[in-house]
Amino acid sequence: MHLPADLVFRILIGGTLALGLLLTCLVLMGAVIQYRCDKQNRHRIALYQVWEKDLAAFLFNASGTARPFPEIAVGDQFIFEKFLARYYATLAGQEAEALRELYLGLGVVHDSLPGRLKHRKANVRAQAAQEVRIFHLDDQLEAVLPLLNDPVPYVTHLAAQALTRSGNLRYAQPVLDWVLREEQYQRERLLRVLEGFGPELLPWMKVHLVSPNQYPEPWILYVMLVGAHRHSESQPRLLWLLEVPHLNLRVSVLKALIVLADPTVYPRVLPFASSPAWEIRAQAARALGVLGGPSAIPKLLSLMADQVYEVRRNAAQGLADLGHAGISALTWVAGDAAADRFARDIARERLEWADERGHQ
Amino acid sequence: MSRIWPENTQVLVVEDDAATARIIQARLEMEGLKVFVAWNGVEGLEILHQQEIDLITTDLMMPAMNGFRLVQEIRDLPPPKGRVPILLISSNQNEQDMVRCLAAGADDYITKPISAQVLMERLWRMLQRASAAG
């Protein structure tokens, strides 16, 4: 098909003009959006500057008489809520209580909370859940509970934080279920959220969790929580779980015992150095170095010839952790031509490692 | 509890979080203390060299120079600047760092969120101890 030259020319001119118009519209739209954002920011900064002075006078009044906070315009109440949240996170005691009262006085913000917890936009739901957590709005916790099933991860995270921050163990089971729905690698990070329930969570778990023989997964979380905090009850809480024949649970218990580092549990750990599961042998090797003292050297030397690299590495690390006696044993293995080749190699590697860190 | 602070008591607040710094500043100024705010350890050291500072509060996690380095640097200074009482302010998560700072020569600590009453009580006691020690 052959188009006349003037028609092609007209199409080109028309197309260029349309493109130019579109570009101009986009630039203008961008400029308007930028202008609005700048205007909002300037407004917010101006408000913050005024409120900072008002807040100082409200909280710390030298005369000792309570000074009311100036009225907040309805349109500015959501900005004020964000302003308050920053300060509320910093303060405790009667000043924090005073800020909470200010928040509760924000009719538009507080009254819209139930609706915002069900809002179609994830950031609005997240902000609402965060408000419940920050300002301890326990009367809204039931409305927060469904957010544990929210499709957006940061909304569920903030909802869980709101529930745990309440310290109300009524919400322990749903939050625990949420953590167990998360990927394995995420769980360690989520322990911090569970810790929000406070020290009563562990006794609660012991009473309410299904037997570890039937369902060991939650007990791994239990073990991780016990290991994260030194407590006189920590070891009794852990040792009985070593009897449960579940690989990951035993590995977790051994890890927690390494962290707690009490040498009295050494005899309980020693048999696991001969476990058929390499994951358990690897943790036992690490534990023997931390808990065992010189009496652990023979077992650690035998583990250095293990067929699995992780076990050999941990055994060598265990010897390095034992200090002078362990380092002497590593030196002996490294120089012994009759020793297992794996053991020699790993001994040399660990000695170099220890040398770099001045362990010798 | 009303306290009568010595005249011209000067406090250096080293804090990178503006909200926390403002709150501390407002509370200290309410007691009639003169407050200097630094946003990190480097600025804090500069102010310490320029002014007659009687008390220091410092955060742990800060850019440029953190609380631990600041405590070390201050304690390496000759007296009287090297002996200015230091109060650490940090979150509970930084327990290990806090222990390191106390070992490096910090005098006391409080954790966030801050109770203004506790803050003032700790500062008051630190100043009393420093005065008694001469």
Side-chain angles (χ1 to χ4, degrees), chain A residues 76-314:
Chain A
D76 295 333
Q77 289 199 357
F78 279 100
I79 304 175
F80 187 65
E81 183 275 317
K82 286 196 175 73
F83 169 83
L84 273 186
R86 281 186 71 201
Y87 284 90
Y88 192 78
T90 298
L91 284 164
Q94 65 189 47
E95 285 81 15
E97 270 309 304
L99 292 191
R100 188 168 180 272
E101 288 303 317
L102 274 184
Y103 168 82
L104 294 174
L106 297 171
V108 172
V109 176
H110 189 232
D111 297 345
S112 65
L113 197 57
R116 285 189 286 132
L117 285 167
K118 293 176 188 163
H119 201 275
R120 63 185 173 82
K121 284 186 181 171
N123 64 332
V124 176
R125 295 196 300 275
Q127 171 68 30
Q130 199 170 22
E131 254 168 70
V132 173
R133 176 179 67 85
I134 291 175
F135 294 105
H136 299 168
L137 306 173
D138 290 357
D139 58 326
Q140 299 291 335
L141 289 174
E142 284 300 317
V144 170
L145 201 53
L147 293 181
L148 284 177
N149 298 311
D150 198 280
V152 181
Y154 74 88
V155 177
T156 56
H157 196 100
L158 289 168
Q161 280 185 328
L163 294 167
T164 56
R165 176 81 181 260
S166 73
N168 187 343
L169 289 168
R170 211 170 80 73
Y171 302 109
Q173 191 64 57
V175 176
L176 208 59
D177 292 341
W178 165 70
V179 174
L180 288 167
R181 284 199 300 273
E182 294 292 309
E183 296 292 335
Q184 187 81 36
Y185 72 93
Q186 293 273 36
R187 292 185 190 166
E188 209 160 329
R189 191 174 61 83
L190 298 177
L191 283 184
R192 284 235 171 261
V193 180
L194 279 173
E195 283 169 3
F197 280 119
E200 290 308 307
L201 179 65
L202 287 170
W204 179 91
M205 286 173 86
K206 190 150 189 209
V207 172
H208 290 85
L209 292 183
V210 180
S211 155
N213 290 301
Q214 285 175 270
Y215 186 32
E217 291 297 318
W219 289 94
I220 294 175
L221 284 179
Y222 174 86
V223 168
M224 287 159 90
L225 281 166
V226 173
H229 295 281
R230 284 173 200 279
H231 188 275
S232 58
E233 287 294 307
S234 294
Q235 251 147 238
R237 280 171 175 161
L238 289 173
L239 287 173
W240 70 280
L241 287 167
L242 277 175
E243 308 304 324
V244 180
H246 184 271
L247 178 73
N248 287 338
L249 183 58
R250 276 183 172 161
V251 167
S252 300
V253 174
L254 289 170
K255 278 183 184 170
L257 289 173
I258 292 167
V259 174
L260 296 173
D262 181 350
T264 60
V265 299
Y266 173 69
R268 298 289 300 272
V269 171
L270 189 60
F272 291 97
S274 309
S275 167
W278 72 263
E279 295 91 340
I280 291 179
R281 290 202 305 281
Q283 288 308 321
R286 197 80 181 80
L288 294 186
V290 174
L291 311 171
S295 59
I297 289 176
K299 192 68 203 171
L300 286 169
L301 284 173
S302 72
L303 287 171
M304 279 188 60
D306 198 278
Q307 57 188 343
V308 178
Y309 170 77
E310 281 79 358
V311 180
R312 298 198 299 275
R313 185 197 59 202
N314 283 5

Side-chain angles (χ1 to χ4, degrees), chain A residues 52 60 87 90-92 94, chain B residues 22-23 27 30 113-114 117:
Chain A
E52 271 160 11
F60 308 125
Y87 284 90
T90 298
L91 284 164
Q94 65 189 47
Chain B
R22 281 194 203 98
I23 284 291
R27 184 64 182 86
M30 175 188 148
I114 303 164
Q117 286 91 329

